[in-house]
Amino acid sequence: MPTVSSEELAAAAGVNSAKLRKDFSYLGSYGTRGVGYDVEYLVYQISRELGLTQDWPVVIVGIGNLGAALANYGGFASRGFRVAALLDADTALAGRLVAGLPVRHIDELETIVADNQVSIGVIATPAGAAQEVTDRLVAAGVTSILNFAPTVLSVPDGVDVRKVDLSIELQILAFHEQRKAGDDRPEPDGDVPAVMPA
Amino acid sequence: MPTVSSEELAAAAGVNSAKLRKDFSYLGSYGTRGVGYDVEYLVYQISRELGLTQDWPVVIVGIGNLGAALANYGGFASRGFRVAALLDADTALAGRLVAGLPVRHIDELETIVADNQVSIGVIATPAGAAQEVTDRLVAAGVTSILNFAPTVLSVPDGVDVRKVDLSIELQILAFHEQRKAGDDRPEPDGDVPAVMPA
DNA sequence: CCTTGTGAAAGCATTCACAGCC
DNA sequence: GGCTGTGAATGCTTTCACAAGG
């Protein structure tokens, strides 16, 4: 039986082994003292806890470059996500194949969500369309929304929204870059803060 | 002079006002007791601290759907990022305009990085090409890399890498979705952890 | 007054260190 | 013997609460 120790996993992940053991302990007691963790069993338990063993149908709304990139993104299928439909308001796009799926018109949204029991929607539309799409998704029964549009969405209680801003990570890099440059010369003006986030 | 209080800002951001004041205090003492913060001055100070007042030339490597989506993404320009060049290994793409910029061949990488003093590179290539592109970027002088490819990059000390996994946010939504569904019925099997991350 | 800026207190997260168990 | 699981200790973050100051 292939096993792995908390020490090995911690080294691979770059964290402290006690933290790793404590985190695992919240999921249950899946290790064996003196031996380690049964790899296969551990993978299964973590997958189940994270919801990776379930099938999650999602709809992607807005099939521009970003929507197409998301539809083609391999990481979704391997984590239990199934693209139930690609939707766009542009009738010229209707029927075109993207990542092997036909683009369908936004007016089919309600039917598709109901027929496929979709609970997760991905918004890759321009900012101006995002709120209206959100309202329709929510009315149709979607309770989780991943928003790539650069706008804040309002939703009723009970609906989760996560916003992805593609430039935030770039901004974090630029922040560190600025710090690197500043290490060998004085700041151009003003004070250097004593503490800043990593 | 338009001002804003820590209480107003905290309410808008959904955080505690004391935390907000303490965070601001690390940047300096920019408020006025009994009045609040001068909006314009505060915006300037925060912008400067975050590096938003600087110009950051970036190159985007891999002009598929994702690369094109990034090139078109409006959020970059407004935060001080300037796309110095779009690069791709596909010669068929060379010269094509994406977001108003011509796609250039990957072999121009070294020249472009040097000529534009690029310190930040964005990788939107397939996983297989990412490490090689990284090595070339680093050799050319890039010290910060934003990686959208689903692979772990190795870089020398002094180079920052941030990895963006477009499916992680979706996974977080699915995790909460699973929890919602589980609230009204017993777990299918196994224990419910006492604590899980938000 | 009113609101900032900040010590002190409270609340969390991480790490230590070792008893418990295979 | 070796590694997990976990109380206790440590360290960090957030909040409280109020003196300081316009």
Side-chain angles (χ1 to χ4, degrees):
Chain A
M1 183 180 81
T3 62
V4 64
S5 70
S6 62
E7 202 61 60
E8 292 171 283
L9 284 173
V15 300
N16 180 293
S17 69
K19 179 178 192 326
L20 193 138
R21 288 199 299 279
K22 186 151 282 186
D23 286 357
F24 281 6
S25 77
Y26 290 122
L27 305 180
S29 194
Y30 298 144
T32 308
R33 288 162 197 240
V35 179
Y37 299 89
D38 171 8
V39 171
E40 195 183 342
Y41 186 55
L42 182 63
V43 166
Y44 169 71
Q45 289 297 346
I46 293 177
S47 298
R48 187 176 54 79
E49 192 62 48
L50 294 178
L52 303 184
T53 54
Q54 266 181 262
D55 175 74
W56 294 103
V58 303
V59 291
I60 301 177
V61 185
I63 313 303
N65 280 311
L66 183 57
L70 292 170
N72 279 298
Y73 187 62
F76 289 164
S78 65
R79 283 166 178 158
F81 298 104
R82 180 170 51 78
V83 178
L86 306 176
L87 299 170
D88 201 288
D90 184 354
T91 48
L93 234 54
R96 186 169 306 184
L97 288 182
V98 172
L101 289 169
V103 177
R104 298 168 71 177
H105 190 262
I106 186 77
D107 283 344
E108 298 186 67
L109 186 154
E110 286 75 12
T111 322
I112 290 167
V113 168
D115 290 355
N116 295 276
Q117 304 207 59
V118 174
S119 56
I120 302 179
V122 178
I123 296 184
T125 64
Q131 183 64 55
E132 196 206 318
V133 168
T134 300
D135 294 344
R136 288 181 68 171
L137 286 170
V138 170
V142 165
T143 49
S144 291
I145 290 177
L146 184 57
N147 178 30
F148 284 90
T151 185
V152 174
L153 299 175
S154 48
V155 292
D157 282 1
V159 176
D160 281 345
V161 176
R162 296 191 72 88
K163 187 173 183 311
V164 177
D165 181 337
L166 295 174
S167 71
I168 279 183
E169 296 290 317
L170 210 48
Q171 226 173 288
I172 294 170
L173 283 174
F175 177 76
H176 288 298
E177 198 61 40
Q178 171 173 253
R179 292 255 141 173
K180 285 183 205 169
D183 281 351
D184 53 9
R185 57 166 175 71
E187 285 278 306
D189 90 75
D191 296 321
V192 181
V195 177
M196 282 296 286
Chain B
M1 183 179 81
T3 61
V4 65
S5 70
S6 62
E7 201 61 60
E8 292 171 283
L9 283 173
V15 300
N16 180 294
S17 70
K19 179 177 194 320
L20 194 137
R21 288 198 299 280
K22 186 149 281 184
D23 286 357
F24 281 6
S25 76
Y26 291 124
L27 306 180
S29 194
Y30 299 144
T32 308
R33 291 166 196 237
V35 178
Y37 299 89
D38 171 9
V39 172
E40 196 184 342
Y41 185 55
L42 182 65
V43 166
Y44 169 71
Q45 288 297 344
I46 293 177
S47 298
R48 187 176 54 78
E49 193 62 50
L50 294 178
L52 303 184
T53 54
Q54 265 182 263
D55 175 75
W56 294 104
V58 304
V59 291
I60 301 177
V61 186
I63 312 301
N65 280 312
L66 182 57
L70 292 171
N72 280 298
Y73 186 63
F76 289 166
S78 65
R79 281 164 180 162
F81 297 104
R82 181 171 49 81
V83 179
L86 306 176
L87 298 170
D88 201 290
D90 185 354
T91 49
L93 234 53
R96 187 170 305 185
L97 288 183
V98 172
L101 288 170
V103 176
R104 297 168 72 177
H105 191 262
I106 186 77
D107 283 344
E108 297 186 68
L109 186 154
E110 286 76 11
T111 322
I112 290 168
V113 168
D115 290 355
N116 295 275
Q117 304 207 60
V118 174
S119 56
I120 302 179
V122 178
I123 296 184
T125 65
Q131 183 64 53
E132 197 206 318
V133 168
T134 300
D135 295 344
R136 288 181 69 173
L137 285 170
V138 170
V142 165
T143 49
S144 291
I145 290 176
L146 184 57
N147 178 30
F148 284 90
T151 183
V152 174
L153 300 175
S154 48
V155 291
D157 281 1
V159 176
D160 281 346
V161 177
R162 295 192 72 89
K163 186 172 182 313
V164 177
D165 181 336
L166 295 174
S167 71
I168 280 184
E169 296 290 318
L170 210 47
Q171 227 173 287
I172 293 170
L173 283 174
F175 176 76
H176 288 297
E177 199 61 41
Q178 172 173 252
R179 291 256 143 170
K180 286 183 206 170
D183 280 351
D184 52 10
R185 56 166 175 70
E187 285 278 306
D189 90 74
D191 295 323
V192 181
V195 176
M196 281 297 284

